[in-house]
Amino acid sequence: AQSVTQLDSQVPVFEEAPVELRCNYSSSVSVYLFWYVQYPNQGLQLLLKYLSGSTLVKGINGFEAEFNKSQTSFHLRKPSVHISDTAEYFCAVEAGTALIFGKGTTLSVSS
Amino acid sequence: NAGVTQTPKFRILKIGQSMTLQCAQDMNHNYMYWYRQDPGMGLKLIYYSVGAGITDKGEVPNGYNVSRSTTEDFPLRLELAAPSQTSVYFCASSLGGQANTEAFFGQGTRLTVV
């Protein structure tokens, strides 16, 4: 069965610093992976997705993620964060008919 | 350009009461989902539907029921509310099929059972 594990529940960083949010997945079949962002009191919004092809995926708001099959990882990165990036981030894997989500990582950006 | 619309946004229920959370989408998506979100637990799938007239259980279906009489609507019913159902509920929809499971989410319904 597919699953995802987000390795950090909270990640505090200073503004303009780089950040990496880690996600490992478990899947015995071809894998489709997603990162979603949830701003306070809002629904989830798609950041980026990996379906096939290039292992480096670029998303909105300057985020990117790298699919690493040998390490079963799909880490999310941003070279320079802003205060407005403060939110909860969810990694998800497609599981046939629905998405399976990780427990989320809270990114807190301070000045 | 409404997308996925959920009503109500907030609700307080007493133990044993019932209610229906409404969800509608205007993107002609075949697949619809209900998730609940609890702090530190991520999102758990309650029920899903792959088309009108077809529904199936997700990971945490107990205490809930759904119906899908039209492509657009996917209401979630709580028959006998319990404190354990205090949560934020999200409805989502997708085109469906492999590689098309990008889900579009509503704004959520925050439910408190007291």
Side-chain angles (χ1 to χ4, degrees):
Chain A
Q2 290 94 329
S3 66
V4 290
T5 302
Q6 292 184 244
L7 300 169
D8 307 291
S9 59
Q10 298 192 43
V11 174
V13 294
F14 288 108
E15 194 173 21
E16 298 184 8
V19 71
E20 178 180 80
L21 306 184
R22 298 180 295 165
C23 173
N24 286 351
Y25 68 90
S26 172
S27 176
S28 58
V29 296
S30 297
V31 61
Y32 305 119
L33 294 159
F34 305 79
W35 275 100
Y36 280 81
V37 60
Q38 184 182 32
Y39 298 106
N41 299 314
Q42 293 191 27
L44 278 71
Q45 176 183 356
L46 182 70
L47 266 181
L48 49 80
K49 60 185 176 183
Y50 171 79
L51 303 180
S52 64
S54 173
T55 57
L56 184 62
V57 181
K58 293 190 183 298
I60 62 172
N61 301 339
F63 283 92
E64 63 182 31
E66 185 162 14
F67 172 67
N68 188 318
K69 188 174 182 179
S70 63
Q71 297 190 5
T72 61
S73 67
F74 190 55
H75 300 334
L76 181 71
R77 303 185 181 101
K78 187 170 183 178
S80 175
V81 295
H82 302 290
I83 297 286
S84 59
D85 292 322
T86 294
E88 191 156 17
Y89 293 78
F90 292 94
C91 182
V93 62
E94 182 264 349
T97 49
L99 294 177
I100 302 298
F101 287 87
K103 293 186 177 181
T105 297
T106 300
L107 175 63
S108 300
V109 183
S110 56
S111 56
Chain B
N1 199 16
V4 179
T5 302
Q6 290 184 239
T7 55
K9 287 186 169 51
F10 304 93
R11 183 73 184 269
I12 298 175
L13 277 183
K14 293 185 178 179
I15 294 172
Q17 286 186 319
S18 61
M19 77 164 293
T20 299
L21 283 67
Q22 301 292 345
C23 175
Q25 54 93 7
D26 62 359
M27 297 174 282
N28 202 30
H29 283 169
N30 292 320
Y31 288 37
M32 296 187 74
Y33 316 87
W34 276 105
Y35 289 91
R36 60 176 287 172
Q37 182 182 28
D38 300 299
M41 299 301 294
L43 282 80
K44 302 286 188 184
L45 183 66
I46 304 172
Y47 270 96
Y48 67 95
S49 169
V50 300
I54 306 169
T55 62
D56 211 342
K57 296 177 180 178
E59 184 180 359
V60 290
N62 291 344
Y64 307 95
N65 278 301
V66 293
S67 60
R68 185 95 182 270
S69 56
T70 67
T71 299
E72 295 78 18
D73 301 300
F74 190 42
L76 177 72
R77 178 84 177 162
L78 283 72
E79 290 294 350
L80 292 170
S84 60
Q85 293 177 305
T86 293
S87 188
V88 181
Y89 292 84
F90 287 100
C91 179
S93 71
S94 70
L95 190 59
Q98 287 204 343
N100 283 309
T101 47
E102 173 188 341
F104 295 81
F105 283 80
Q107 294 293 296
T109 295
R110 187 174 297 273
L111 176 68
T112 303
V113 181
V114 297

